[in-house]
């Protein structure tokens, strides 16, 4: 079933609006901090971002009904994992079991996108659900004390859904907007804005650690690779290239999980937005 | 709306416009009250006009009756029940469960009574008379919200719009599951 173009427009605008970050001149305190903390938490690690975007990408690739069934499966099972993490239930594989599962999720889900795999829907749901459990457990284990549980949960689930929406948006844009210059131009402006925030972030507002630098560098390299592939394929296969980049990025997370690094990659939502708009920018340059 | 929401507050919001508006204000700023009402409206809307019509009258009444019972009893039931109600309704919405109208009504009455009881217990300190007026305000806003949202869903003809509602249901279920984890963690 072909998706109407206006739905794609609304979806894209909605995603961009939800992605907008508030200014952070002060620390948000009190009850609203629960919602904002929850909203930011899924953005707190590249491993989470990559896997969740990959779920959306894969859903968009598979089409109906996977385009909505997979992004529904993930948060529900993730919440089950979050529940287990919150009550400190033991997780298979010891203390790093969930981290290894998260890294594996980026690798395998990225591979699914790269290979454009089309397993039966229940199998895809099981795969996505299992990884959702790993992500949820890690989140549940890391939740900060003293926040409003309800507001935190709302923010957390909304942010997760937004990350899926990112992946779906890329897929829809990829399907519907080939040859149209406006979307890539808007995306380019957004990209410039986000890069600006990213630089200020790197200059010390919140600080980027080694892993984030590596991840950002890797994404830049992936985008450069996308240009080459796009030139060769006239815009075809972009989503698959992105899936490959996510899958390869998963190996960084896997290495990190095994190396027992003390810190996770720092928050870099601007770089995540970079991932989302880079394909459109590539299309724009390719089209123009 | 999400940014405007405040966490559950056992005490009332004072609007300066009287107890009825205080009740409306309390409800509007309490996502643990407003989300289940919206969720029930989505569920009833998915099931059609008859379920929607039943909901808009029975839910406010059940809420009010539960509230009065809470005012009198002045004893809040176990809080995880609230989380379970989120999960149950969310899952029913996401599954687009083909419930008969009677079942939707039964769920609405049970939910309304439970949440009303929680509200009433919180209002007990304000006194029976004032508390009842506040509950009346809550019942009014519930009627308005339930009518708008159930009618919105009933009017949705396109397949993908129903999917949006089901996705919202899955989010509500996920929120309920996380809330339950929080409640159990806090209890330890």
């Amino acid at each position: 079933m072909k998706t109407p173009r206006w739905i794609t427009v609304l979806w894209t605008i909605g995603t961009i609006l939800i992605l907008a970050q508030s200014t952070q001149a002060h620390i948000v305190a009190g009850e609203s901090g629960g919602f904002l903390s929850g909203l930011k938490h899924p953005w707190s690690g590249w491993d989470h971002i990559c896997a969740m975007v990959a779920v959306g990408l894969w859903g968009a690739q598979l089409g109906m009904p996977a385009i909505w069934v997979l992004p529904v499966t993930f948060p529900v099972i993730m919440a089950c994992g979050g529940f287990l993490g919150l009550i400190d239930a033991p997780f298979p594989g010891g203390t790093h079991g969930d981290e290894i599962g998260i890294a594996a999720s980026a690798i395998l889900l990225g591979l699914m996108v790269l290979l454009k795999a089309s397993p039966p829907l229940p199998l895809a749901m099981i795969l996505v659900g299992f990884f959702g459990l790993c992500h949820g457990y890690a989140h549940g284990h890391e939740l900060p004390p003293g926040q409003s549980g309800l507001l935190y949960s709302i923010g957390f689930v909304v942010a997760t859904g937004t990350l899926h929406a990112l992946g779906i948006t890329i897929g829809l844009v990829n399907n519907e907007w080939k040859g149209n210059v406006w979307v890539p131009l808007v995306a380019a402006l957004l990209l410039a804005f986000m890069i600006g925030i990213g630089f200020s972030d790197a200059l010390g507002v919140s600080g980027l650690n080694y892993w984030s630098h590596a991840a950002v560098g890797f994404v830049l390299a992936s985008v450069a690779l996308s240009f080459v592939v796009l030139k060769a394929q006239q815009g075809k296969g972009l989503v698959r290239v992105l899936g490959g980049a996510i899958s390869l990025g998963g190996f960084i997370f896997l290495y990190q999980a095994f190396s027992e690094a003390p810190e996770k990659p720092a928050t870099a939502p601007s770089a995540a937005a970079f991932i989302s708009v880079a394909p459109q920018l590539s299309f724009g340059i390719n089209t123009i | 709306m999400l940014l405007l929401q405040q966490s559950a507050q056992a005490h009332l919001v004072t609007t300066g416009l009287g107890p009825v508006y205080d009740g409306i204000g309390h409800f509007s700023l309490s996502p643990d009250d407003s989300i289940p009402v919206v969720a029930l409206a989505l569920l009833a809307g998915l099931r059609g006009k008859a379920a929607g019509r039943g909901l808009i009258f029975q839910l406010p009444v059940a809420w009010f009756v539960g509230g009065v019972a809470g005012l009198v009893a002045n004893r809040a039931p176990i809080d995880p029940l609230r989380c379970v109600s989120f999960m149950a309704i969310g899952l029913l919405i996401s599954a687009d469960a083909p419930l008969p109208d009677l079942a939707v009504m039964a769920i609405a009455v049970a939910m309304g009574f439970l949440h009303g009881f929680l509200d009433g217990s919180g209002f007990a300190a304000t006194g029976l008379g004032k508390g009842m007026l506040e509950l009346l305000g809550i019942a009014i806003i519930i009627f308005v919200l339930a009518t708008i949202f159930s009618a919105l869903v009933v009017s949705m003809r396109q397949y993908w719009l129903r999917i949006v509602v089901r996705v919202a249901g899955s989010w509500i279920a996920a929120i309920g599951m996380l809330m339950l984890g929080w409640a159990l963690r806090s209890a330890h």
Side-chain angles (χ1 to χ4, degrees):
Chain A
M1 188 174 68
K2 188 172 170 59
T3 312
R5 177 163 290 189
W6 65 274
I7 294 177
T8 310
V9 176
L10 281 180
W11 188 278
T12 305
I13 292 171
T15 305
I16 290 171
L17 285 175
I18 293 170
L19 271 171
Q21 301 284 313
S22 61
T23 52
Q24 296 179 353
H26 60 278
I27 298 169
V28 179
E31 288 163 344
S32 63
F35 175 70
L36 293 174
S37 309
L39 199 65
K40 286 176 181 174
H41 197 92
W43 295 86
S44 63
W46 273 97
D47 40 5
H48 296 302
I49 294 168
C50 285
M52 292 180 204
V53 170
V55 170
L57 283 174
W58 197 24
Q61 250 183 359
L62 293 174
M64 285 290 187
I67 194 169
W68 69 273
V69 169
L70 295 187
V72 162
T73 303
F74 193 95
V76 172
I77 305 297
M78 186 193 71
C80 296
F83 172 79
L84 293 175
L86 278 163
I87 62 171
D88 285 331
F91 196 86
T95 51
H96 292 287
D98 56 334
E99 296 294 339
I100 292 168
I102 289 168
S105 72
I107 294 171
L108 289 180
L109 290 172
L111 265 181
M112 295 295 117
V113 177
L114 174 67
L115 301 174
K116 212 175 178 181
S118 309
L121 186 58
L123 190 62
M125 288 171 68
I126 289 170
L127 188 69
V128 165
F130 172 72
F131 289 135
L133 198 71
C134 297
H135 284 262
Y137 185 86
H139 286 312
H141 220 61
E142 297 162 356
L143 287 183
Q147 300 278 12
S148 162
L150 172 59
L151 293 177
Y152 187 96
S153 303
I154 294 172
F156 184 84
V157 172
V158 168
T160 303
T162 306
L163 283 168
H164 294 319
L166 254 178
I168 293 172
T169 303
I170 294 169
L172 287 175
V173 168
N174 186 42
N175 293 337
E176 302 289 331
W177 286 86
K178 282 177 186 170
N180 189 305
V181 296
W182 288 105
V183 168
L185 279 176
V186 171
L189 288 172
L190 183 67
L191 174 66
F193 178 67
M194 291 297 180
I195 286 175
I197 295 177
F199 272 121
S200 64
D201 200 29
L203 286 173
V205 175
S206 63
L208 291 176
N209 65 10
Y210 169 76
W211 292 107
S212 292
H213 282 301
V216 172
F218 183 80
V219 170
L220 289 171
S222 302
V223 173
L225 179 66
S226 300
F227 276 110
V228 177
V229 175
L230 283 170
K231 277 291 177 190
Q233 298 189 353
Q234 293 300 309
K236 292 176 184 173
L238 175 76
V239 168
R240 296 175 68 175
V241 170
L242 202 56
I246 288 173
S247 180
L248 287 172
F251 285 101
I252 296 178
F253 309 133
L254 190 64
Y255 173 74
Q256 184 195 357
F258 275 115
S259 67
E260 300 185 348
E263 287 185 40
K264 297 185 67 179
T267 308
S270 52
F274 184 93
I275 288 184
S276 71
V277 295
Q280 287 89 323
L281 182 65
S282 304
F283 272 124
I285 293 170
N286 194 47
T287 307
I288 293 170
Chain B
M1 279 182 72
L2 284 170
L3 285 170
L4 282 170
Q5 300 280 19
Q6 300 291 313
S7 68
Q9 293 177 7
H11 59 277
L12 272 169
V13 174
T14 305
T15 61
L17 299 169
V20 173
Y21 282 97
D22 286 350
I24 292 173
H26 168 85
F27 179 89
S28 304
L29 296 172
S30 304
D32 44 354
D33 280 346
S34 51
I35 289 177
V37 170
V38 172
L40 276 169
L42 298 181
L43 179 67
L46 283 175
R47 299 278 56 85
K49 287 180 183 174
R53 284 191 198 114
L55 178 86
I56 63 175
F57 292 109
Q58 293 182 28
L59 181 61
V61 171
W63 202 292
F64 184 81
V65 172
V68 173
L71 273 174
V72 175
N74 192 13
R75 185 184 302 164
I78 306 162
D79 202 45
L81 280 176
R82 196 195 295 270
C83 315
V84 173
S85 70
F86 271 63
M87 285 162 53
I89 300 178
L91 287 174
L92 287 172
I93 295 170
S94 61
D96 199 3
L99 297 172
D101 293 345
L102 199 63
V104 176
M105 292 308 99
I107 293 169
V109 168
M111 285 272 301
F113 190 86
L114 169 69
H115 285 264
F117 191 92
L118 287 164
D119 275 348
S121 300
F123 298 166
T126 64
L128 187 64
K130 190 162 180 271
M132 284 181 72
L133 285 175
E134 286 152 354
L135 286 168
L136 182 65
I138 290 179
I140 291 169
I141 189 69
I142 288 173
F143 175 81
V144 172
L145 268 186
T147 305
I148 291 172
F149 278 93
S150 57
L152 183 72
V153 178
V154 166
S155 69
M156 291 175 175
R157 303 287 179 214
Q158 291 94 337
Y159 174 65
W160 69 270
L161 282 173
R162 290 179 73 87
I163 288 174
V164 170
V165 175
R166 294 175 67 176
V167 170
S170 74
W171 286 18
I172 291 167
I175 290 166
M177 177 67 85
L178 288 171
M179 280 171 62
L180 186 62
W182 271 88
L184 293 177
R185 177 188 244 189
S186 303
H188 288 154

